[in-house]
Amino acid sequence: MENLKDQLEDGFQHLKEMLEPMQKYVTPTSALVGLGAGLTVYWLIKRNKYKLPPGPTPLPLLGNYSLLGTKDLQEHLAELSKTYGPVITVYMGTIPMVIVNTIEAATEALVKSKADFANRPEFPTGDILSDGGKDIALAQYTPTWKLHRKIAGSALRTYLKGKRLEDAIHGSLVQGIKMFEDTKGEPFVPHSHIDLCVMNIICGLCFQKVYNFDNPAFKHWLDLQNELLTTFGNGFIEDLFPILAKIWPSKRFTKAVTIAQELYQNLEKEFKEHQKSFDEGNIRDFADALILARLEAENEDDTELLSQLTDVHLKQTLGDIFFAGLDTSRLTLQWFLLYIAANTEIQKKAQMEIDNAVGRDRLPGLDDRNAMPYTEATLHETMRIATVAPVGVPHAARVDSKLGGYDIPKGTTIMVNQWALHYDTRHWKDPKKFDPERFLDSDGNLGPKPVSWLPFSAGRRVCLGESVAKAELHVICAILLHQFDIMLPPGVAPDFTPDISGLGGYTANQYKIVVKKRS
């Protein structure tokens, strides 16, 4: 896969070719001296103006480019923290990025500093994916953002919980269980099975649609999402040098934009169909809830409010719930199956708990959650050991501020290394060991949230769908363990090497499992 380091090398070769016609006016020596002097002055001024957190010395223009090609970026950033401290600065090209590697610093940045770091950095990819910042996940911290988050939060609490959520899960898992049964004890890669189940749940909650898993359009939609995740990789050179996105975009960047556009076209099609069939007296799902919010603004004749509830704004809010809910859930479940297959004693203990709580005559549901703390602890441990968003979604400083005693200028990108928090030996004993007991108290009940556990972030930009995701994932995990014994193929050792690791996420490899229907 082409990474950023390769793109930089290709980019500078192209730049050299572009500058060749100017050689008769500027000698190579004078150009090199001028460029070097200019960059040296630029970096000295920029780095000395503020007392930024320490970090490895960047090269002019290139920054700490050697980090860009590393597969386990989050681990390298945590390792740098041992030398430079819990808050460090690395440069991606000319862009300084402040990396937070401990829960104490993360709490200062996300909670104690209130909204100081509640903005998002402005990158070409974010601008394209959010239609210029009209969503929730990537938009700036503004009154419009607060309005959309309030509307979305209200809709989630009203329409994506209780019986609606349980019915969507059960409706999708019925097909999922059959797909697992149809493997007939043969080894198979479970990713597509899980992906189809989760996407069908999201479709049910957002559009009140339940698809057959063999529906071509449904499968194509999921294939596009997988392709976008793979194409994203460890990020784009265009985000380091934004001018390239306008005048000289790479093939990979162009491909990602094309995929994203098709995904949102599909979403827009569903939304427009909902607008045609909307009935104020029958709010069916999340899409209807957004349409209702705009209708209420129209009835109040609130022009200013309506300007913040355009079709584009509502489509983007819908996309946040749809795509974020899809990716984090399915990637977590893929890791869950691998860890549960590799730890049969833990699996048996969870199955015993589920059988005692539910019996064998029905599927686990939301009301059973409190009776299955060990199962939930197993899910939480999966979220810790396999952090699917290892460096989270980047923040940006809204104002000149301080963090860890260092200057953080307005606009600076801040990234919380969630992987480092989840592997911090000060808070986790033997962090590479899969151990659900970490999340239980002495009585075997689910204990308070561990200090250094932050899969959903915190503060003003905490994950909007945290409560829905936890409930959904718990029920799915319980159903799979209730219905099947999950094993690695005979003679196969567990392989926890990720397929993707870094800015693009943390995804499980194409491992195989064997499932046996429980009686």
Side-chain angles (χ1 to χ4, degrees), residues 342-353:
N343 293 273
T344 54
E345 291 304 313
I346 291 174
Q347 180 178 172
K348 290 176 182 177
K349 191 170 181 178
Q351 288 172 325
M352 185 180 298
E353 175 187 74

Side-chain angles (χ1 to χ4, degrees), residues 180-319:
F180 273 57
E181 291 174 341
D182 288 345
T183 63
K184 301 185 184 304
E186 293 296 320
F188 70 102
V189 178
H191 295 20
S192 61
H193 300 62
I194 289 297
D195 292 353
L196 290 166
C197 287
V198 174
M199 185 163 175
N200 225 358
I201 293 169
I202 297 294
C203 285
L205 294 173
C206 287
F207 307 121
Q208 205 184 40
K209 282 189 175 181
V210 177
Y211 292 91
N212 289 323
F213 282 177
D214 58 358
N215 182 297
F218 176 67
K219 294 178 73 173
H220 178 61
W221 201 347
L222 186 56
D223 288 342
L224 284 173
Q225 186 69 7
N226 279 324
E227 191 174 5
L228 181 62
L229 191 67
T230 302
T231 303
F232 191 92
N234 238 358
F236 298 96
I237 190 173
E238 287 79 3
D239 287 335
L240 306 184
F241 303 97
I243 189 64
L244 295 178
K246 296 181 178 180
I247 66 169
W248 196 15
S250 65
K251 290 181 180 178
R252 191 161 66 89
F253 180 81
T254 303
K255 179 181 179 181
V257 170
T258 301
I259 296 171
Q261 287 173 340
E262 185 174 354
L263 282 168
Y264 276 96
Q265 284 170 1
N266 290 340
L267 200 68
E268 188 172 16
K269 179 182 176 182
E270 293 285 354
F271 186 65
K272 286 182 176 179
E273 288 180 3
H274 260 61
Q275 288 177 307
K276 293 177 182 178
S277 60
F278 176 76
D279 178 2
E280 186 178 356
N282 178 29
I283 304 302
R284 300 161 292 182
D285 44 42
F286 188 71
D288 273 356
L290 296 179
I291 298 170
L292 177 64
R294 182 165 62 189
L295 180 63
E296 291 172 346
E298 290 174 350
N299 292 337
E300 295 175 8
D301 197 23
D302 191 330
T303 305
E304 182 178 353
L305 185 59
L306 282 171
S307 69
Q308 303 171 56
L309 294 172
T310 66
D311 277 1
V312 176
H313 284 97
L314 298 185
K315 179 193 72 173
Q316 281 291 334
T317 298
L318 184 60

Side-chain angles (χ1 to χ4, degrees), residues 367-406:
D367 290 341
D368 303 309
R369 188 176 174 187
N370 290 337
M372 299 185 293
Y374 188 83
T375 305
E376 185 142 15
T378 305
L379 171 61
H380 287 184
E381 175 68 343
T382 303
M383 293 177 179
R384 181 199 69 82
I385 202 168
T387 308
V388 297
V391 292
V393 181
H395 294 243
R398 296 176 61 241
V399 294
D400 285 352
S401 189
K402 293 276 189 180
L403 180 58
Y406 298 102

